[in-house]
Structures are given as C-alpha cells and as structure tokens.
Amino acid sequence: MTTTARQPRGGVGGSVAPPSRPPAPPRGIRRHWSEHGLAFTGPFLLVYAAFLVVPLIWGVRMSLGNDDIAGTQSDFIGLDNYAEALKDPDVWSSLWNTVWFTLLSTVPLVVISLVLALLAHHLRFVSWLWRLSWFAPFLLPSGVVCLLWLWVIYPSDFGFADQLLAAFGLQPEIGWLTDTRYAMLSIVITTVWWTVGFNFLLYLAALQAIPRHLYEAAEIDGAGSWQRLRTITLPMLSRTTGVVLVLQLLHSLKIFDQVYIMTGGGPDDSTRPILQYVYQTGFTGYRIGYASAISYIFFALIVIVSLIHLRLTRRSREENS
C-alpha cells in the first residue's frame, strides 16, 4: 500500500505563504468611527484654526501692507517691509542681543539642571526637600521672579548683592542693570535660577528610567563612580539632553518678560531682544505691518535652527545605529 507524501502547508517546496491581510472592517463600522472621530476632533480643529491658522495667515497679509494700529491704513506694498527690516540696524542689534542671551543661558541651564538631577537622584536624606527647592522657582510667575531679583541686585545699600559684596570687603554698588557689562549677565542669572527646575525635572525622570542592573553589572566589573557616569549615565541621557537643548533654545530665543520688567531693553538697548523691538514697533510706533514682517523673519530663523538641529540629531542616531 502506497502513501502519498503530504506537502507542507506553506505550498510546494516548503515555501511559507505570506500572511493574509486582515479583513477590512465593514463599511458601517468605518462610517461610525469616521463620524465619531470627527465629533471628537472637530472642536479642537476649530479652536486650532481660530487661534493659530487664521492669525498666522492674517499676519502674513499684514506684513505685506503698511497697516497701522488704528486700522486707518491698509495698502498693499509687497515685500517692502521685509526689505526695510533686512536693512534696519535695530533689527540686527536686537537679534544679536537675543542670540547672545541664548548662548549665555542655554549651556548653564543644561549643565546645572543635569548636576541638580544627579544630586537629587543620589541624595537619600530628605530627597523630597531638594527636589521641591530646585523645582519651586519654576512655578513662580515671571513678574514675581523679576521683582525678587530686582531686590537682590538693586544698587546702593538696599540691594542684597551689594551688601554681600561689602561684607566680604569687595567693591559694592555695581550697576547690575545700568552697566552694559553686567545687564545681560544679570538677566541670564535671573533666568537660570527661574527656569532650571523644568530641565531638572526632565533629567530626573530620565535618570529614574535607567535600568538598575546596568550599574550593578558595572560595579561587579570594578567601574568607579566617574566611569559609570561616563559610560552609562550620560549615554543613556543623550536623547533627554537633545530634547532639553531644543526646548531651551526655543524658550531662550523667545525672551521678553525678564528684559521688559528688569531693564526695559537698556542700558542703551544693550539687552533689548527682537520680540521687544517688535512690540515697540507695532504698539509704540504703530507700524503693525512692519512689526509683522520682523516677526516672520524671526520665525523663519527659528524654523531654520529647528531643522538644523533635527537634521544633526537624525544623523547622529543613524551613525549610532
């Protein structure tokens, strides 16, 4: 009695059949999800369009005209506002002040937040107190922070900083906000003290997510504290550092509150950022169209910076993989 060899289920020659696609849901179910999905996302899309898309398009229209704040002029002048902005020395000086503040504040805000997160992660004694004290300033409004630091760096006998310097025998009454050498540095110190808590929280969450067995294996191999920091902690925090860096760059480029309250852009416009110049042009000089053009030039620069960082990050990930 002869038997017939059974072919494999995959077909002739043992080939495996490709998995079949799951059946599409019935048309009624698709229509049900489409209608209910639109009902859930519809309110958000309306608010998004009303408060972002429409103002964005309207701002482009105003930048192409000579609109004033009273609405008495609205003539189309094309790209004349953009050409004037590119030749305006006040635009470039305020843009440089913004970039200079970003360079001075970004590095300390990244490094100090990382150091504070490492300390809070390893300190076991009343760790909640360290976390609260380092994150609490971030919860304060900008006006409160600026007034607090105005009291600290106020000149003469009233300022705490001058009194502290005098106690150590150093020269008091430094023009923290009236001297061009110290005004921007004073704003940077205020900003670092105020906003370091947000980056600290991101780093602390990333530290807590690192698997403990990596450190245990390194300790077994005889790695010291600095070796574990260099070979485990910092590489595992690389993505968090990238996120912190991007967020900090964007936040620093949009500085306005601290300068407006503490120095008003002085002395001699040495601390005036680009957003304050836009405000002064539109709401003090009444040239809304010209202010809109400056805003979109600044917006284009921010987009370029974001794209460059995204490209560099993607390239580094491809090289590491």
Side-chain angles (χ1 to χ4, degrees), residues 176-198:
W176 299 103
L177 299 176
T178 58
D179 193 331
T180 55
R181 297 173 298 176
Y182 305 110
M184 184 63 77
L185 182 61
S186 300
I187 296 174
V188 169
I189 293 174
T190 302
T191 305
V192 170
W193 180 85
W194 177 31
T195 60
V196 73
F198 180 75

Side-chain angles (χ1 to χ4, degrees), residues 7 55 73 90 103 109 124-125 133 139 145 162 199 201 203 238 243 247 252 261 275 278 292 296:
Q7 297 292 338
Q73 294 181 355
D90 290 332
L103 295 176
L109 280 168
R124 301 302 179 185
F125 178 70
S133 61
L139 303 177
V145 173
D162 284 348
N199 298 339
L201 194 64
Y203 272 122
S238 59
V243 173
L247 293 178
S252 297
I261 297 175
L275 291 184
V278 171
S292 300
Y296 280 96

Side-chain angles (χ1 to χ4, degrees), residues 41 45 126 137 150 175 184 190 210 214 228 241 269:
T41 59
L45 294 177
V126 289
L150 281 175
M184 184 63 77
T190 302
I210 298 178
L214 297 178
R228 294 196 299 268
T241 302
D269 295 332

Side-chain angles (χ1 to χ4, degrees), residues 278-291:
V278 171
Y279 168 78
Q280 292 175 349
T281 302
F283 294 95
T284 304
Y286 307 117
R287 299 186 61 189
I288 296 297
Y290 184 53

Side-chain angles (χ1 to χ4, degrees), residues 87-215:
K87 299 177 182 178
D88 189 352
D90 290 332
V91 171
W92 293 106
S93 63
S94 59
L95 182 61
W96 165 247
N97 292 335
T98 305
V99 173
W100 182 233
F101 170 81
T102 302
L103 295 176
L104 290 177
S105 61
T106 299
V107 175
L109 280 168
V110 174
V111 175
I112 295 176
S113 61
L114 175 59
V115 173
L116 294 180
L118 290 171
L119 291 175
H121 184 65
H122 292 287
L123 289 176
R124 301 302 179 185
F125 178 70
V126 289
S127 59
W128 64 269
L129 180 61
W130 310 119
R131 300 178 185 184
L132 176 63
S133 61
W134 291 330
F135 181 72
F138 181 72
L139 303 177
L140 298 176
S142 59
V144 175
V145 173
C146 293
L147 292 177
L148 177 63
W149 275 91
L150 281 175
W151 170 77
V152 172
I153 60 181
Y154 194 82
S156 72
D157 296 335
F158 182 76
F160 176 76
D162 284 348
Q163 293 181 11
L164 185 63
L165 291 176
F168 285 95
L170 301 177
Q171 181 182 0
E173 298 186 5
I174 296 177
W176 299 103
L177 299 176
T178 58
D179 193 331
T180 55
R181 297 173 298 176
Y182 305 110
M184 184 63 77
L185 182 61
S186 300
I187 296 174
V188 169
I189 293 174
T190 302
T191 305
V192 170
W193 180 85
W194 177 31
T195 60
V196 73
F198 180 75
N199 298 339
F200 156 75
L201 194 64
L202 295 179
Y203 272 122
L204 184 61
L207 284 171
Q208 293 174 348
I210 298 178
R212 181 61 186 172
H213 64 82
L214 297 178
Y215 294 103

Side-chain angles (χ1 to χ4, degrees), residues 44-76:
F44 167 76
L45 294 177
L46 290 177
V47 174
Y48 184 82
F51 292 97
L52 186 63
V53 178
V54 173
L56 188 65
I57 298 174
W58 189 259
V60 173
R61 190 209 66 79
M62 288 193 301
S63 69
L64 301 176
N66 61 347
D67 297 31
D68 59 1
I69 194 171
T72 58
Q73 294 181 355
S74 183
D75 299 329
F76 179 79

